[in-house]
Amino acid sequence: MVVSGVAATAPPIPPPFTSLDVERIRADFPILSETVRGGRRLVYLDNAATSQKPRQVIEAISRFYSGENANIHRGLHYLSERATAAYDAAREKVARFLGAGAPSEIVFTRGTTEAINLVAQSWGRSSLRPGDEVLATGMEHHANLVPWQVVCEQTGATFRAVPITDRGELDLEAFDRLLSDRTRLFAVGHVSNALGTVNPVRDLAARARARGALVLVDGAQSAPHMAVDVSELGCDFFACSGHKLFGPTGIGVLYGRQSILDAMPPWQTGGDMIERVTLERSTWAAPPARFEAGTPPIAEVMGLGAAIDYVESVGLDAIGQWESDLLSRATELVGALPGVRLVGTARAKAAMLSFVLDGVHPHDVGTVLDDEGIAVRAGHHCAQPVMQRFGLPATVRASFAFYNTPDEIEALVRGVERARKVFG
Ligand code: PLP
């Protein structure tokens, strides 16, 4: 539902913030002291699109290229051995970070999009048949919709989607109705990037698996903000992106349950993914190598490892608490502005706020905010079915990270007020 904002009658009393040494944290992120648009202090509230990088990540990448660069798994020379060991150690780190059973359940990809396409084209293309169904939801990012629509077209399977309620939550009765013995895979976002809804994936995964379906969780928006344990979630696949996790672009992760990965055919072929090649035929290496054809993004893997170290040093519980305080403050202050309607008011939400301002196009709100040095996203957020569900062309989305501050929320509030005055 689109909830009407109410005019503020009295200044809201800000709730107390939990403690996080945010100034010390901000000092680790060089870009946060940049100025933009003719000297304005940057207020970066577009973290759901991509997050900023601490110097520890930037330095890890620079260190690799300055003193350690070599291809992995190929040479017997010193640098190659070191790069290979560091690459393998990063895989172990990711496995631990996500609660995987073993490093061999972690496949490095270019990002969430590639991880989901890998599952669709490897598992889906080889397993789905006419009569089978893939169930997704109406709040998925296009990355967790289009690959399933395509593989259903390729195999004759049927694509279905769980509708969402006016609050922006999944319609659980519809989920139970749509789930059947024909459902081969349930694809669900852990956190909606358009609404901020946190889905009850553990419960949904248990229900889907009880009907014999595999479960894929799109964790692009959850892994950076909450502790994830894939064995506790009970999913078969989990995908996330390094660049949203304070790491570099060009690196992502697919967790896959070992027995399922073992049975999946390759989806890209070439070097490093084979066991033996003759001119007649080839056989495949075991996972994860089977799914990592060609030279992988080695420096980016080093950067991802450093990002995980950084996030763990701050602590995901502390991050979650800080971001939840930011969300409460933003919901209260922005939601109270005249003409503002919040889009997505789920009971469980991650730290992002989607909204529209009556009579003002979201792009115009975004332009006014940008003028003030405030970076938000205005658009359909690669979730056009969500916009269609709410009858909107676009929303403004402010998305927070643990380096954002209460002051920055106040800057957002002033910017939205200004947009109303300029365009309203
Ligand atoms: N899934 C969700 C929920 C997202 O928010 C995004 C990116 O915004 C993606 C998938 C795609 O991630 P990437 O572009 O890093 O592959």
Side-chain angles (χ1 to χ4, degrees):
M1 178 177 58
V2 178
V3 176
S4 287
V6 281
T9 46
I13 301 159
F17 258 65
T18 49
S19 66
L20 192 76
D21 193 348
V22 74
E23 286 313 318
R24 188 186 59 75
I25 288 169
R26 288 178 70 83
D28 285 334
F29 289 79
I31 208 169
L32 296 181
S33 23
E34 287 292 310
T35 52
V36 294
R37 297 276 177 227
R40 303 247 176 215
R41 193 172 67 97
L42 171 68
V43 175
Y44 188 77
L45 303 179
D46 195 16
N47 294 286
T50 197
S51 58
Q52 299 301 349
K53 322 302 171 199
R55 64 183 164 71
Q56 289 82 344
V57 168
I58 300 166
E59 283 166 10
I61 296 168
S62 165
R63 201 165 46 242
F64 178 75
Y65 281 129
S66 312
E68 299 164 3
N69 179 49
N71 210 329
I72 57 163
H73 297 148
R74 288 175 198 226
L76 276 177
H77 59 81
Y78 175 79
L79 282 183
S80 177
E81 272 176 19
R82 265 185 45 172
T84 304
Y87 186 83
D88 292 344
R91 196 192 303 279
E92 278 172 34
K93 193 177 293 179
V94 173
R96 194 182 29 73
F97 184 67
L98 294 179
S104 52
E105 294 186 316
I106 299 298
V107 178
F108 286 125
T109 65
R110 275 196 303 128
T112 304
T113 303
E114 190 173 74
I116 297 172
N117 274 278
L118 190 167
V119 179
Q121 286 303 309
S122 169
W123 174 83
R125 193 120 188 223
S126 62
S127 313
L128 293 170
R129 305 273 174 272
D132 289 343
E133 293 181 2
V134 172
L135 183 60
T137 88
M139 69 170 82
E140 298 311 307
H141 186 282
H142 297 161
N144 202 24
L145 277 184
V146 185
W148 302 117
Q149 289 174 336
V150 168
V151 76
C152 283
E153 270 172 33
Q154 288 166 333
T155 58
T158 303
F159 175 82
R160 295 191 188 286
V162 181
I164 53 185
T165 67
D166 289 347
R167 290 180 87 125
E169 295 174 340
L170 290 179
D171 178 340
L172 296 180
E173 281 174 21
F175 170 72
D176 282 334
R177 271 198 312 277
L178 285 163
L179 193 63
S180 77
D181 297 340
R182 290 185 299 278
T183 312
R184 298 286 313 284
L185 182 131
F186 175 50
V188 61
H190 202 168
V191 171
S192 156
N193 71 306
L195 301 166
T197 310
V198 181
N199 286 316
V201 283
R202 194 171 144 193
D203 175 47
L204 300 173
R207 293 200 229 176
R209 293 187 78 223
R211 301 300 292 262
L214 299 184
V215 176
L216 178 141
V217 175
D218 172 352
Q221 297 294 345
S222 63
H225 305 285
M226 58 183 76
V228 168
D229 185 324
V230 290
S231 63
E232 208 182 289
L233 290 179
C235 57
D236 300 286
F237 299 106
F238 184 94
C240 61
S241 296
H243 71 98
K244 297 187 198 283
L245 190 48
F246 314 98
T249 52
I251 181 67
V253 172
L254 173 69
Y255 155 81
R257 199 183 285 276
Q258 192 74 61
S259 55
I260 302 169
L261 288 181
D262 285 345
M264 281 165 46
W267 80 302
Q268 288 180 346
T269 52
D272 278 346
M273 52 72 66
I274 49 81
E275 181 188 54
R276 184 173 154 74
V277 177
T278 66
L279 288 180
E280 287 71 41
R281 63 185 292 271
S282 305
T283 55
W284 318 130
R290 186 184 301 164
F291 303 108
E292 293 180 4
T295 299
I298 308 167
E300 288 77 1
V301 166
M302 304 304 149
L304 176 61
I308 290 175
D309 287 343
Y310 189 84
V311 165
E312 288 188 327
S313 75
V314 179
L316 277 156
D317 287 346
I319 288 173
Q321 191 54 56
W322 182 260
E323 292 181 356
S324 145
D325 288 349
L326 289 171
L327 177 67
S328 307
R329 177 81 56 96
T331 306
E332 187 180 358
L333 296 185
V334 177
L337 292 173
V340 164
R341 292 176 294 153
L342 302 181
V343 184
T345 53
R347 283 158 289 193
K349 273 192 72 176
M352 67 179 79
L353 209 60
S354 246
F355 61 92
V356 289
L357 185 57
D358 277 348
V360 187
H361 195 282
H363 289 167
D364 291 333
V365 178
T367 303
V368 170
L369 291 174
D370 178 49
D371 237 26
E372 307 272 330
I374 304 169
V376 296
R377 180 63 44 127
H380 56 62
H381 317 298
C382 293
Q384 287 184 7
V386 174
M387 300 300 123
Q388 289 150 16
R389 166 66 180 77
F390 289 102
L392 295 167
T395 70
V396 182
R397 181 188 69 190
S399 54
F400 309 107
F402 57 86
Y403 43 62
N404 289 125
T405 65
D407 284 356
E408 291 181 314
I409 288 171
E410 272 151 36
L412 172 69
V413 171
R414 286 194 299 276
V416 176
E417 275 178 326
R418 188 166 156 247
R420 184 170 53 84
K421 284 186 193 131
V422 173
F423 288 102

